[in-house]
Amino acid sequence: MKPNNKIGLALGGGAILGAAHIGVLKAFAEENIPVSAISGTSIGALVAALYAFDVSLDEIEKIAMDLDWLDISGFAFSRLGLLTNEKMGKKIKDVLGEVQFSDARIPLSVIATDVGRFEKVVLDSGDVARAVMASASVPGIFIPVEIDDRMLVDGGLMENVPISPLQNKAMDIIVGVDLNAGRKFKNPEDLIDVLLNAIDIAIDNATRIQTQKVDLLITPALSAYNRTDTECIRDLIREGYTAARGRLAPLKV
């Protein structure tokens, strides 16, 4: 890698599997590889936002370890979804404060899907917490999040590994983290699994095509893990770290 190359990091969606992103970031830190811009989809948006605002990796790991489904969701009395993720937005604000994208230490972009027009929406201005809520609003589970008269849901429907915002920022090298690459699907155990399996299957082919455009793709081996099991957070972090350490040599100066 040439000195002063700008590296963009795209963190993909995958529910609880997103803890693997923390391991990836730990590997970057250990190798002293700087990130010039970061983007995220769904759970990747949450991790990217925390990192972009200089929350320490130890603190991000603690947040992940303490995370429980009830911490980020609540029942919604709505025809548009079973749950609301307003609690997620509150948790982000508790950690970061009432921040805007322009306040980030590292340029941040978040992908969401306009469920009315079925368009990709790149969020890189305005309220960070609300943008992350939108990106992580799994359709059919969480009610859509309204931003600028758009009804927004999970960005994974359009771009699960959010490469395009980094291309628009003229990065020299783009690194993608795909949590679902090579994933073997299992019989669902509950309604959440049914919906997540269906969404993942629908976006898998598009993601494989999109990730051909990255310079380096990190694919943690996560098939053995359940996307809603918070008991495996530490193992997921380790998997992300291991996968990244094996791929970062080309990025070293």
Side-chain angles (χ1 to χ4, degrees), residues 58-145:
D58 286 343
E59 179 63 17
I60 296 175
E61 180 172 348
K62 184 178 184 301
I63 291 168
M65 294 295 296
D66 294 341
L67 198 64
D68 185 86
W69 185 258
L70 294 177
D71 292 334
I72 60 171
S73 63
F75 287 109
F77 299 98
S78 170
R79 294 175 296 175
L80 301 177
L82 301 173
L83 304 172
T84 172
N85 61 4
E86 288 286 344
K87 287 185 179 180
M88 174 185 283
K90 182 179 184 304
K91 193 167 189 68
I92 295 168
K93 290 180 180 179
D94 287 345
V95 176
L96 301 181
E98 300 273 353
V99 293
Q100 304 287 301
F101 278 85
S102 57
D103 300 321
R105 178 181 67 89
I106 299 172
L108 169 69
S109 303
V110 168
I111 296 285
T113 300
D114 184 327
V115 75
R117 302 181 180 94
F118 203 63
E119 294 175 348
K120 178 177 71 178
V121 178
V122 178
L123 300 168
D124 55 11
S125 64
D127 184 86
V128 170
R130 195 149 185 84
V132 174
M133 285 170 54
S135 184
S137 290
V138 181
I141 299 176
F142 293 112
I143 61 174
V145 175

Side-chain angles (χ1 to χ4, degrees), residues 224-235:
Y225 300 96
N226 187 303
R227 287 158 301 182
T228 58
D229 182 8
T230 56
E231 297 298 317
C232 60
I233 296 293
R234 198 178 300 278
D235 292 332

Side-chain angles (χ1 to χ4, degrees), residues 157-171:
L157 296 174
M158 300 303 295
E159 193 173 4
N160 200 43
V161 180
I163 299 158
S164 61
L166 301 176
Q167 292 173 319
N168 294 336
K169 286 182 169 60
M171 294 292 105

Side-chain angles (χ1 to χ4, degrees), residues 10-11 23 29 31 44 60 66 80 97 119 129 144 150 177-178 181 196 225 246:
L11 304 183
E31 298 295 340
I60 296 175
D66 294 341
L80 301 177
E119 294 175 348
R150 288 178 176 266
V177 184
D178 187 353
L196 291 178
Y225 300 96

Side-chain angles (χ1 to χ4, degrees), residues 126-206:
D127 184 86
V128 170
R130 195 149 185 84
V132 174
M133 285 170 54
S135 184
S137 290
V138 181
I141 299 176
F142 293 112
I143 61 174
V145 175
E146 187 171 352
I147 298 178
D148 295 333
D149 296 323
R150 288 178 176 266
M151 299 294 284
L152 302 181
V153 296
D154 197 316
L157 296 174
M158 300 303 295
E159 193 173 4
N160 200 43
V161 180
I163 299 158
S164 61
L166 301 176
Q167 292 173 319
N168 294 336
K169 286 182 169 60
M171 294 292 105
D172 297 305
I173 297 173
I174 296 177
V175 180
V177 184
D178 187 353
L179 303 176
N180 294 316
R183 183 171 179 79
K184 297 179 177 66
F185 291 94
K186 299 178 181 179
N187 287 334
E189 298 178 2
D190 52 34
L191 173 61
I192 304 300
D193 274 353
V194 171
L195 288 169
L196 291 178
N197 268 11
I199 291 169
D200 281 351
I201 291 167
I203 67 177
D204 187 51
N205 286 336

